[in-house]
Amino acid sequence: MNIAVGIGGGGLKIAYEIGVIMELQNRGHRIVSSDGVSAGALVTALLIQHEWGLLEAVVKGGGPGDSRMWPALTEDVHRWRTGRELAWPMLTRGLRGVDSMGRNDRLWSNYLSRFIDADRAVIPGYVGCVEWNTPGSPYRSIAHDEHPAAWPRAVWGSATIPVIWEPVHWRDGTYLADGGLRTSVPIDDIMDRIVRGVQAAPDLVMAVPTNVEGQPADDVGPGLDGAALHTIGIMTAQIESDDVAAKPWWPDVPHVILRPTVDLGGTLESTPQTQLDRYEHGKERVREWSR
């Protein structure tokens, strides 16, 4: 079966989405395109290159302190959560007029600049971003071959949460920020391309969110980051419900929303066992859907 996938955000919970992808692959389904937003953009970037080993390494890389690639996404936040590098950077950066807690440079140097290359794409890929410095901050979907040299920066921008990290300069003076601010599961992007004739209709469009239906992304946790994550969770839960509801303009293409049936835990919860549990639940959900 030819499947176009839309991969949502969810921080470290994307281990669930990787489980879904790997099980689809194991069962002989053909993923013909991938759309991603936020952390899902990082999965899309590896998926379209058929980097199956690296996708599994994301799951098995563990949490902050591990030497593998995944901590590049979370090391800064981990330091803030444990009280290191929080108050002073916030104060000094705020006094200098900087609109974020820090720069997401580790993600670039440890991950994107090393592994992501538009020229190695095997299937089409798209990431959803917000144009941060454009009036109205519009959402746009960026194709891997739109500006190939700038594709890694588009992926970087899609995964960069404003306030926590600085928006990313993409090209020609345009700065990008987390696409999850506008859409948490980019199924609309897929349907739009089908309607416009840009993409052939697949056998199935599959959206893969990381939250149980109606559930905010995170419960209220301790500290500033806990409050921020819960606030974002309330917002994205509503965005997600709008994203995956059937739209009257959607083409007559079969689609499925393959969400988890168990709580996957917090966005930044990253013990090795938690990641493996999420991964296995993703595989289990594909097995259930296939019956």
Side-chain angles (χ1 to χ4, degrees), residues 156-218:
W156 189 14
S158 182
T160 296
I161 305 171
V163 181
I164 294 179
W165 292 308
E166 290 182 14
V168 170
H169 179 248
W170 178 47
R171 59 185 304 276
D172 296 338
T174 299
Y175 284 77
L176 303 177
D178 197 323
L181 296 173
R182 294 285 192 179
T183 180
S184 61
V185 186
I187 189 170
D188 269 2
D189 295 342
I190 303 171
M191 297 300 193
D192 177 66
R193 290 195 304 273
I194 294 171
V195 167
R196 292 188 291 113
V198 176
Q199 177 172 342
D203 299 321
L204 180 74
V205 173
M206 178 178 286
V208 191
T210 57
N211 298 328
V212 176
E213 189 169 6
Q215 176 196 46
D218 284 275

Side-chain angles (χ1 to χ4, degrees), residues 16-254:
Y16 165 79
E17 296 167 319
I18 294 173
V20 169
I21 290 164
M22 298 304 290
E23 188 64 18
L24 290 173
Q25 175 72 10
N26 292 341
R27 289 177 171 265
H29 296 293
R30 181 170 177 258
I31 297 176
V32 294
S33 69
S34 179
D35 287 61
V37 294
S38 198
L42 306 174
V43 178
T44 283
L46 290 177
L47 168 57
I48 68 169
Q49 293 178 199
H50 285 182
E51 297 281 7
W52 311 117
L54 289 177
L55 281 168
E56 289 203 321
V58 168
V59 176
K60 298 173 183 178
D66 192 293
S67 62
R68 286 165 284 186
M69 71 167 74
W70 188 241
L73 316 183
T74 59
E75 186 174 338
D76 282 341
V77 175
H78 177 68
R79 292 180 179 187
W80 298 326
R81 297 193 77 169
T82 55
R84 298 195 298 274
E85 299 185 8
L86 174 59
W88 181 246
M90 286 183 67
L91 176 61
T92 57
R93 291 171 70 82
L95 290 174
R96 289 187 284 116
V98 180
D99 58 359
S100 64
M101 295 182 190
R103 290 175 53 86
N104 201 5
D105 291 336
R106 289 182 182 87
L107 177 58
W108 176 259
S109 60
N110 295 348
Y111 182 87
L112 294 167
S113 64
R114 294 172 59 194
F115 302 111
I116 305 307
D117 183 351
D119 292 335
R120 285 157 52 191
V122 180
I123 60 173
Y126 308 82
V127 294
C129 304
V130 168
E131 293 187 359
W132 186 252
N133 62 328
T134 302
S137 297
Y139 173 87
R140 68 176 293 168
S141 176
I142 299 174
H144 80 276
D145 57 355
E146 184 173 338
H147 297 287
W151 168 245
R153 300 191 72 84
V155 177
W156 189 14
S158 182
T160 296
I161 305 171
V163 181
I164 294 179
W165 292 308
E166 290 182 14
V168 170
H169 179 248
W170 178 47
R171 59 185 304 276
D172 296 338
T174 299
Y175 284 77
L176 303 177
D178 197 323
L181 296 173
R182 294 285 192 179
T183 180
S184 61
V185 186
I187 189 170
D188 269 2
D189 295 342
I190 303 171
M191 297 300 193
D192 177 66
R193 290 195 304 273
I194 294 171
V195 167
R196 292 188 291 113
V198 176
Q199 177 172 342
D203 299 321
L204 180 74
V205 173
M206 178 178 286
V208 191
T210 57
N211 298 328
V212 176
E213 189 169 6
Q215 176 196 46
D218 284 275
D219 293 330
V220 180
L224 178 64
D225 69 294
L229 287 171
H230 187 63
T231 301
I232 293 171
I234 294 170
M235 177 185 70
T236 55
Q238 183 59 51
I239 293 173
E240 181 180 305
S241 68
D242 293 340
D243 286 342
V244 301
K247 304 291 180 67
W249 61 267
W250 280 3
D252 187 18
V253 176

